[in-house]
Amino acid sequence: MIELKDLTKKYGDFEAVNELNLSVKKGEVFGFIGPNGAGKTTTIKIMGGILEPTTGTVTIAGISMQEEPEKAKSKIGFIPDRPYLYEKLTGMEFLRFTADLYGVSEEAFQATAFKILKDFSLADWADELIESYSHGMKQRLIMSAALLHNPEVIIVDEPMVGLDPAGIIMVKNLFKTLAEQGVTIFMSTHTLKVAEDICDRIGVIHKGSLIAMGTTTELQREANVTEADLERVFLNLTSETPYPQN
Amino acid sequence: MNEVLTLLKPRIWPLKNRGLSKANGNSGASFLLLGAFGLLFWCGIFAVSWRVLIYFKGIEDIGDILGYKLLSMMLVISFALLLFSSILTSLSKLYLSRDLLLVHSMPVSSYKIFIARWIDSTIDSAWMVIIYTLPVFISYGIVYQTGVFYYVNTMISMMCLAVIASAISTLMVMAAVIFIPASRMKSVFILMGILFFVVIYLAIRLSQPELLVDPEVFDSVMVYITSLQTPSSPFLPSSWVYDSIRSALSGSISNSLFFTALSLSFAGMIVSAMIFLSDAIYFKGYSKTQNAPVRLFKKNVASNRIFNFLPGPVKSFTVKEIKTFLRDQTQWTQIFLIAALVVIYVYNFKVLPLEKSPIKTVYLQNLFSFLNMGLALFVLTAVTARFAYPAVSLEREAFWLVKTSPLSIRTFLWIKFFIYYLPLLILTEILIVATNLLLQVTPFMMILSTLTVFFIVPGIVAMGVGLGAAYPDFKAENPTQTITSFGGLVYMIACAGYIGLVVIIEAGPVYNLFMAGIRNKIITFPAWIWIVGSFTLVLVLSLLAVSMPMRFGERRLSELLT
């Protein structure tokens, strides 16, 4: 469903992403972890069609992002880490704006918009200006907008930032349900517990390169740690010197 | 086309949501107030241009030439303004706006995003030029007694000019962004634009254009007329608009239509070319924009050690303030502009033809020096409005640092005050001393004006910082534009009132002292009481002008936080 081939992004001399290759199956929840500045957001932006790669290709649901960007983007629900929302629009207006751009029909919009807002506990705020929303509410609104057109792929950068514990549980359950329905989820996160709980596979990126990939058990093996949580695996894989075991 | 309209909706919908916003309590009042000032200014332009055209019309032989020359100059200036403003607006709208990340993640072709943004940018960059040239065109219409055709044709021609200017600027920006990232490009364009403006401004001023209205200096009337009739380039879009409007004014409709058609066809051609090009290169440029900006200068100007004598939190905010100011190119490029204004300001006093006046020169010199005090303070008000007034709003979303730091709001505001006070005091004193030297004023007047300014500058800076704190806008995309808000208006009115009051209070006593000095007369005891009383009043006013706005700002900002 998602395929990255030899993906490289250079900023001048700096190589933010280096020859990245990976593929994610339909209905899989893929976690993308790595230290700050490792290249996670750059990769996600290239996948979302916001950034042009220096070399390499991105394919979403069999459609090349470079060759048919609009078609590929229509398959994606994109949730950035620090989303910009039009503060002077109401929540409902923002959903309509998104629906219009994704070509959601009026009937489908009427049928789903309010339900989605209700699912994300935003129904009472539908006609309030976004400027009056809290950070968590804005995060929930951008998620609602991303789901409005029934995407086949969800690309999400740091989904839990700003959410309260109830919100985190809700998003975790939502992602699990969507994956069961065949939606592919590509998620970058620093919240390793979340990755451990819901991801089928996890990729570790460090200095622009994918240094490890697999299930939690496979990563433990790769990091030469036994019976350890993902946090220790992560530290062992990304630190210059091996992290001591307790 | 539907997608382009949808992309424009976030711009249109907020207009109907105005009533929903809880953040702008006084937005209605400030909108009315600003609207009234705008209308007043519009009427002022109309009255002046109408009066000037009536005067020109009355001059035999060369009246029409003067009128057309004025029209030609106005169109060239309008075109230049449209070009420059479009460069900055299109750069922001197409490459730097915060919502671009969201919009580009959506399944819409990049050229459609481009078209929507370009329409938005063209409206933003052109509306003010169009609205404020309208009274001039109306006065031309009235004075030259034209029909409906003239007005319709002028509106179409001006719209074409705006579209052409916006398309040319956008093409330049699109091409340039491929080579230089947009984040850096804005600074480059601002710097280039300001340098260009400074050079043109200096060149025009130093060529003494006032001589143009003094036909005596020309050898003959013919030389004078020839110099006015110098044609402008036939390849300039402003020339086509000029030719079209001029033909409409003189009643030649077919000629006018030809030039309007020329503008329209060029506008159509350049917009099509631009859209075609945008499909190929716009997204590449936008993608490049997301590279992290590189620092131009890496040397630290404000070393931490210089401010070691200050207490910790005060030192840290002082150093931060100076560093962020110096690293923000939009701030320091404007210093060039201020330097040019100072040069022109001083130069104007150098070329004052005082010797031609029938009034005694020594009297005039000192009268000008006294009035110059007020003028220099108005210049200071404008500079303070640009730099000190937005100082608090410039903290933007990082204001939480101030809120959580062990620094009181009062200390925070006083740091801001002192950072701007010293350079602004030096600037104003330079203006005053330099112009006084050129005017060769008496020592009394020199001491009086430097001292008065010394006591008034703190008041104006305090009003800037204090009122800027009382009406902050931490969410403004460009905090330096907060001066156009309600608080900015309050600041301008307060400063004008304060300067006017000081000048009025000092005028009588200064006249008495000055005349007594010239005529060697003794000042009577009641006159002394009046003089001392007046200067004491100015001193008290100056103290109030410092303490009141600073306290007001402190109180409002504290209330905002609770």
Side-chain angles (χ1 to χ4, degrees):
Chain A
M1 187 54 76
I2 301 175
E3 194 153 358
L4 311 185
K5 235 180 188 174
D6 302 326
L7 204 64
T8 299
K9 180 68 189 175
K10 286 183 183 175
Y11 293 125
D13 293 333
F14 176 68
E15 219 160 49
V17 177
N18 181 22
E19 298 273 327
L20 193 65
N21 284 291
L22 67 87
S23 59
V24 185
K25 292 193 304 265
K26 184 177 164 71
E28 187 179 5
V29 182
F30 187 87
F32 201 44
I33 63 173
N36 293 333
K40 296 187 298 295
T41 300
T42 302
T43 308
I44 278 192
K45 277 185 176 178
I46 295 173
M47 289 169 68
I50 299 161
L51 199 62
E52 219 179 24
T54 309
T55 55
T57 56
V58 174
T59 312
I60 306 285
I63 304 158
S64 163
M65 182 59 83
Q66 280 70 45
E67 284 162 26
E68 296 176 280
E70 292 95 72
K71 214 171 157 194
K73 283 179 197 177
S74 66
K75 305 283 177 194
I76 301 173
F78 188 80
I79 307 167
D81 63 337
R82 272 172 292 176
Y84 178 83
L85 294 162
Y86 299 102
E87 304 257 307
K88 298 289 179 192
L89 296 191
T90 65
M92 189 56 95
E93 282 173 344
F94 182 72
L95 286 193
R96 181 171 288 278
F97 168 71
T98 315
D100 286 346
L101 286 180
Y102 278 91
V104 178
S105 68
E106 182 60 27
E107 301 80 59
F109 177 77
Q110 293 294 351
T112 52
F114 197 74
K115 187 187 171 299
I116 287 184
L117 285 180
K118 210 172 165 193
D119 289 347
F120 280 91
S121 313
L122 288 171
D124 294 341
W125 292 78
D127 296 321
E128 295 294 333
L129 290 188
I130 295 172
E131 68 181 12
S132 61
Y133 285 24
S134 69
H135 180 71
M137 287 162 76
K138 285 179 185 171
Q139 191 73 9
R140 278 183 273 148
L141 180 65
I142 199 90
M143 284 190 191
S144 317
L147 295 177
L148 202 60
H149 62 290
N150 294 322
E152 290 176 38
V153 172
I154 289 178
I155 297 173
V156 49
D157 198 1
E158 290 296 347
M160 308 308 175
V161 173
L163 294 181
D164 56 20
I168 291 175
I169 293 168
M170 185 198 70
V171 171
K172 273 162 64 172
N173 291 337
L174 176 79
F175 284 176
K176 278 181 192 166
T177 316
L178 286 169
E180 280 163 18
Q181 289 166 2
V183 177
T184 308
I185 296 168
F186 188 97
M187 176 177 76
S188 137
T189 184
H190 280 300
T191 324
L192 299 179
K193 185 79 184 79
V194 173
E196 208 170 0
D197 284 353
I198 62 169
C199 292
D200 300 312
R201 278 191 309 149
I202 293 164
V204 184
I205 186 172
H206 186 43
K207 293 181 179 170
S209 298
L210 196 67
I211 54 167
M213 185 163 63
T215 59
T216 311
T217 322
E218 285 165 346
L219 288 179
Q220 281 168 350
R221 207 178 306 134
E222 199 156 337
N224 292 323
V225 287
T226 49
E227 299 293 315
D229 60 12
L230 193 57
E231 202 168 77
R232 187 156 301 278
V233 172
F234 174 79
L235 290 171
N236 245 19
L237 287 168
T238 57
S239 59
E240 305 298 326
T241 50
Y243 214 76
Q245 278 199 69
N246 287 337
Chain B
M1 196 59 199
N2 267 348
E3 283 157 328
V4 174
L5 285 177
T6 304
L7 286 165
L8 285 168
K9 279 177 184 169
R11 161 100 190 195
I12 302 160
W13 280 343
L15 299 174
K16 69 178 171 67
N17 288 341
R18 284 192 143 177
L20 287 174
S21 185
K22 291 167 188 130
N24 314 317
N26 52 11
S27 69
S30 67
F31 181 75
L32 275 178
L33 207 59
L34 286 173
F37 268 89
L39 190 66
L40 207 67
F41 188 56
W42 195 94
C43 293
I45 295 174
F46 175 74
V48 170
S49 47
W50 183 72
R51 185 72 196 84
V52 167
L53 287 173
I54 290 275
Y55 171 71
F56 282 171
K57 238 348 200 172
I59 307 173
E60 268 183 55
D61 299 328
I62 61 165
D64 277 348
I65 298 172
L66 283 171
Y68 290 143
K69 190 71 191 172
L70 185 70
L71 178 68
S72 159
M73 278 168 69
M74 191 192 76
L75 284 167
V76 169
I77 291 169
S78 300
F79 185 55
L81 277 176
L82 285 168
L83 275 177
F84 187 60
S85 113
S86 298
I87 285 178
L88 297 180
T89 324
S90 62
L91 198 61
S92 293
K93 297 269 177 191
L94 289 164
Y95 296 99
L96 303 173
S97 279
R98 286 164 66 196
D99 64 331
L100 282 167
L101 193 80
L102 172 81
V103 174
H104 276 280
S105 73
M106 294 182 166
V108 188
S109 312
S110 61
Y111 83 90
K112 285 181 184 162
I113 297 176
F114 173 86
I115 295 173
R117 294 280 149 160
W118 179 75
I119 293 172
D120 197 1
S121 158
T122 306
I123 294 170
D124 266 8
S125 61
W127 73 269
M128 206 181 258
V129 177
I130 301 279
I131 286 192
Y132 284 103
T133 49
L134 205 59
V136 183
F137 291 125
I138 293 175
S139 36
Y140 266 97
I142 295 170
V143 173
Y144 283 77
Q145 295 171 337
T146 58
V148 180
F149 171 78
Y150 162 79
Y151 294 102
V152 176
N153 181 65
T154 303
M155 274 321 285
I156 295 172
S157 299
M158 281 309 283
M159 280 177 189
C160 283
L161 193 68
V163 167
I164 292 169
S166 173
I168 292 174
S169 303
T170 308
L171 277 170
M172 277 162 55
V173 167
M174 254 201 303
V177 164
I178 295 292
F179 302 103
I180 308 171
S183 49
R184 195 50 72 220
M185 184 63 70
K186 192 165 185 175
S187 317
V188 173
F189 271 128
I190 289 175
L191 182 65
M192 270 167 49
I194 286 174
L195 285 178
F196 176 73
F197 177 74
V198 166
V199 170
I200 295 287
Y201 186 48
L202 287 174
I204 291 176
R205 186 61 196 95
L206 301 182
S207 66
Q208 304 190 13
E210 64 270 22
L211 296 181
L212 203 65
V213 289
D214 184 7
E216 281 172 34
V217 299
F218 286 86
D219 291 330
S220 69
V221 176
M222 276 319 290
V223 178
Y224 182 60
I225 291 173
T226 316
S227 75
L228 283 177
Q229 280 180 316
T230 323
S232 48
S233 166
F235 297 109
L236 265 182
S238 57
S239 301
W240 310 331
V241 175
Y242 165 70
D243 287 330
S244 170
I245 295 176
R246 185 187 164 154
S247 303
L249 282 172
S250 58
S252 171
I253 292 180
S254 58
N255 224 9
S256 175
L257 281 174
F258 169 76
F259 285 108
T260 306
L262 195 62
S263 296
L264 271 170
S265 62
F266 184 72
M269 187 278 288
I270 197 163
V271 170
S272 311
M274 180 187 70
I275 293 171
F276 182 73
L277 195 70
S278 76
D279 200 24
I281 64 169
Y282 169 55
F283 182 69
K284 277 188 199 305
Y286 172 69
S287 184
K288 268 194 121 180
T289 307
Q290 294 176 72
N291 295 6
V294 185
R295 267 175 69 186
L296 284 181
F297 306 109
K298 294 200 171 161
K299 198 170 180 297
N300 275 338
V301 182
S303 168
N304 284 10
R305 272 173 289 169
I306 303 173
F307 299 99
N308 270 351
F309 66 96
L310 294 170
V314 178
K315 180 186 138 190
S316 65
F317 266 99
T318 310
V319 172
K320 186 270 311 175
E321 197 70 24
I322 296 172
K323 279 184 177 172
T324 48
F325 181 85
L326 292 175
R327 285 173 191 170
D328 184 353
Q329 292 93 26
T330 53
Q331 298 271 26
W332 53 259
T333 45
Q334 298 207 9
I335 290 169
F336 290 110
L337 198 60
I338 292 171
L341 288 175
V342 169
V343 170
I344 296 296
Y345 187 92
V346 174
Y347 179 78
N348 281 335
F349 281 85
K350 188 173 179 288
V351 293
L352 268 179
L354 293 181
E355 67 287 349
K356 283 189 184 173
S357 163
I359 307 167
K360 220 175 156 188
T361 309
V362 67
Y363 176 76
L364 261 189
Q365 283 168 327
N366 289 284
L367 174 70
F368 274 129
S369 167
F370 183 72
L371 293 177
N372 173 44
M373 216 165 57
L375 207 59
L377 288 170
F378 278 118
V379 171
L380 170 75
T381 304
V383 177
T384 306
R386 169 61 189 77
F387 292 102
Y389 181 83
V392 172
S393 298
L394 270 168
E395 294 291 328
R396 302 178 109 165
E397 275 140 31
F399 190 66
W400 65 272
L401 272 165
V402 180
K403 288 189 267 180
T404 53
S405 72
L407 196 72
S408 66
I409 292 292
R410 178 175 297 177
T411 317
F412 165 72
L413 290 182
W414 280 108
I415 291 171
K416 294 269 181 192
F417 171 84
F418 278 108
I419 282 168
Y420 292 99
Y421 166 61
L422 289 173
L424 290 173
L425 177 69
I426 293 167
L427 171 80
T428 323
E429 291 290 7
I430 286 175
L431 282 181
I432 290 292
V433 173
T435 45
N436 277 348
L437 287 174
L438 287 171
L439 285 168
Q440 298 172 327
V441 298
T442 57
F444 162 73
M445 204 44 110
M446 179 69 100
I447 293 170
L448 175 96
S449 48
T450 45
L451 268 182
T452 305
V453 162
F454 183 81
F455 285 111
I456 292 181
V457 173
I460 291 176
V461 177
M463 281 198 246
V465 173
L467 291 169
Y471 301 98
D473 185 357
F474 297 115
K475 287 187 174 176
E477 192 133 324
N478 183 1
T480 56
Q481 284 175 4
T482 50
I483 192 63
T484 55
S485 65
F486 179 73
L489 200 64
V490 173
Y491 160 76
M492 288 291 192
I493 294 170
C495 282
Y498 173 46
I499 296 166
L501 214 57
V502 169
V503 170
I504 290 168
I505 294 169
E506 282 194 353
V510 168
Y511 179 77
N512 258 5
L513 281 168
F514 176 70
M515 292 315 277
I518 284 188
R519 291 175 184 165
N520 284 323
K521 272 172 55 179
I522 296 163
I523 300 165
T524 59
F525 183 69
W528 268 120
I529 292 178
W530 179 36
I531 291 165
V532 173
S534 300
F535 283 116
T536 313
L537 192 59
V538 169
L539 197 67
V540 172
L541 261 180
S542 301
L543 289 173
L544 287 175
V546 174
S547 62
M548 278 171 58
M550 289 299 275
R551 275 195 197 160
F552 179 58
E554 183 193 338
R555 209 186 60 225
R556 288 263 310 188
L557 202 57
S558 307
E559 279 169 7
L560 210 76
L561 308 179
T562 50

